[in-house]
Amino acid sequence: MSTKNINRKELVLNAMDNKPVERVPAGFWFHFLADEIHSDAFAQPELTEELLAGELKYIEESQPDFVKIMTDGFFPYTNDSFIKAKTAADLKHVKPLDKDDKWFTYQVEYAKKITDKYGDEIATFYNLFVPGTILKFMQPNFEDGEPYLAALVREDKEAVKQVFDVISDDLAELAKRVITEAHVTGIYLSLQNLLGEGITRELYEEVFGPGERKILAAANSVSDYNILHICGYAGHRNDLSWYEDYEVKTINWAAVVEDVPLSEGKKLFGGRAVLGGFGNTVDDVIYKGSEAEIKAEVRRLLDEAGTTGVILGADCTVPRDTPRQHFDWVREALIEYSK
């Protein structure tokens, strides 16, 4: 479907600013590598070419209003002192990366290849994970990540705080560099509540909060347009109120998983712009719905949330094999709704 008469990037930025828009913008995202969690593009640069090819093909075919720049293969924190740490006590000896480390330079180079081609047309948000999520991803079995991290915090929270401070400094540096050097619009920072025995909001705020806020502050220092993603992937439940005072322009959460619609979330987050609305599983309408069903869901979401400060998307990554035509149907419904 043609989008030539609309400046899609301006559409997204106006929505994030809670300004009136010609039509509500939309975008969806999914993974491109077969194993997005354990792939290591720092060790295998050819994976970045596969990732880039998939991202560019999606942009060309689907013409989204914005793109979350996927970071499959860049999930690991390739810091030798961190990788070698075996105990909580070892974490106290982790040192920050050198500024010319490939962990920075590879990611900046990759992001720039996308913005050089599409940065003037669409808004681009570079995906970053907070330290807790990175640590969970780096466990051999993903399902063991959450209990491992919770146990680590219970064992020695001071050691965890110390290593999170180091990792957050590097993530803050990366956030600033993808914005200032790769010229992305902003970052898309993914986090979630830590679940487990003895894990309270107060403990989370003490151990996790400072680093997460530091990353956002760094991004906010060089861009007004950053997104917070409260991840409900695979049914993970979050207390959204833990993040209501995080400084960020736009919030994306799992509206379907949490059963918190866009309008309710908009109130919770002080009227800031919101992103999402659609579920992201094979059982949800964006994946299996007919044209009529998908367009009806668009109308339902906008009837409920309004058209100001709203960007339609999904709870999280949608299945890789979601028919691309479904994204066209969403855009068609948005155009029809605006008339």
Side-chain angles (χ1 to χ4, degrees):
M1 165 169 285
S2 174
T3 57
K4 294 184 182 299
N5 296 327
I6 294 179
N7 185 317
R8 289 174 284 159
K9 183 174 183 178
E10 183 179 352
L11 201 65
V12 171
L13 300 188
N14 284 341
M16 293 178 76
D17 283 330
N18 272 308
K19 294 179 180 177
V21 291
E22 183 175 346
R23 67 161 172 82
V24 170
F28 297 88
W29 52 93
F30 43 86
H31 293 294
F32 296 100
L33 298 186
D35 182 357
E36 70 276 3
I37 294 177
H38 295 112
S39 294
D40 187 349
F42 303 104
Q44 296 178 277
E46 65 272 15
L47 293 176
T48 304
E49 294 307 312
E50 181 182 343
L51 173 64
L52 180 64
E55 192 88 72
L56 296 179
K57 184 173 186 287
Y58 160 65
I59 294 171
E60 282 294 325
E61 289 180 351
S62 297
Q63 296 290 304
D65 296 318
F66 71 93
V67 62
K68 182 178 85 122
I69 298 179
M70 302 301 285
T71 52
D72 303 2
F74 293 126
F75 285 18
Y77 178 57
T78 52
N79 182 326
D80 285 342
S81 61
F82 176 70
I83 293 170
K84 292 175 181 176
K86 302 301 181 184
T87 67
D90 292 340
L91 295 176
K92 295 180 180 179
H93 304 294
V94 174
K95 303 298 182 185
L97 293 167
D98 293 334
K99 296 297 186 285
D100 61 351
D101 191 275
K102 62 185 179 182
W103 189 81
F104 295 112
T105 58
Y106 280 21
Q107 296 193 70
V108 171
E109 181 183 1
Y110 158 62
K112 194 171 188 301
K113 288 179 179 177
I114 295 174
T115 59
D116 280 351
K117 192 170 180 65
Y118 297 107
D120 292 335
E121 299 176 30
I122 59 176
T124 54
F125 301 96
Y126 194 78
N127 180 66
L128 289 180
F129 295 105
V130 295
T133 302
I134 291 174
L135 195 149
K136 288 188 285 185
F137 281 155
M138 292 180 69
Q139 302 315 302
N141 297 309
F142 173 66
E143 60 271 16
D144 295 334
E146 185 116 18
Y148 170 77
L149 181 54
L152 207 61
V153 172
R154 288 192 293 266
E155 177 188 347
D156 191 342
K157 71 175 181 181
E158 294 304 321
V160 178
K161 286 166 61 176
Q162 189 166 327
V163 75
F164 279 4
D165 189 52
V166 172
I167 300 173
S168 297
D169 279 342
D170 281 344
L171 286 164
E173 172 76 8
L174 179 59
K176 291 177 71 172
R177 289 176 66 173
V178 293
I179 294 170
T180 60
E181 296 177 24
H183 308 299
V184 302
T185 307
I187 65 167
Y188 177 97
L189 185 65
S190 176
L191 45 62
Q192 57 184 191
N193 291 178
L194 179 65
L195 307 177
E197 183 182 350
I199 306 299
T200 63
R201 178 175 182 172
E202 290 71 28
L203 184 63
Y204 182 96
E205 182 63 33
E206 178 186 355
V207 178
F208 294 77
E212 294 168 355
R213 295 172 188 273
K214 181 191 300 184
I215 298 163
L216 283 175
N220 289 336
S221 73
V222 288
S223 173
D224 289 334
Y225 300 98
N226 296 295
I227 300 171
L228 184 69
H229 171 61
I230 306 169
C231 186
Y233 190 76
H236 184 105
R237 297 299 300 270
N238 295 281
D239 183 339
L240 302 181
S241 69
W242 289 19
Y243 308 107
E244 58 189 341
D245 63 347
Y246 275 40
E247 292 292 333
V248 67
K249 177 78 75 169
T250 300
I251 299 92
N252 170 224
W253 69 95
V256 175
V257 170
E258 309 292 1
D259 194 24
V260 178
L262 295 180
S263 61
E264 187 177 331
K266 199 166 179 56
K267 292 176 183 176
L268 174 67
F269 292 108
R272 283 175 283 177
V274 295
L275 162 63
F278 281 91
N280 71 306
T281 75
V282 295
D283 295 319
D284 288 305
V285 67
I286 194 61
Y287 180 80
K288 69 176 186 179
S290 65
E291 178 179 0
E293 289 169 335
I294 289 173
K295 289 187 173 183
E297 180 65 0
V298 170
R299 293 191 296 270
R300 186 192 71 80
L301 288 170
L302 297 187
D303 285 346
E304 187 273 330
T307 59
T308 302
V310 172
I311 304 171
L312 289 193
D315 282 359
C316 197
T317 51
V318 298
R320 290 173 172 81
D321 61 344
T322 302
R324 303 301 183 255
Q325 188 178 30
H326 291 192
F327 306 146
D328 290 338
W329 292 340
V330 170
R331 187 184 306 109
E332 288 171 9
L334 290 170
I335 293 171
E336 292 163 3
Y337 195 92
S338 67
K339 292 180 178 178

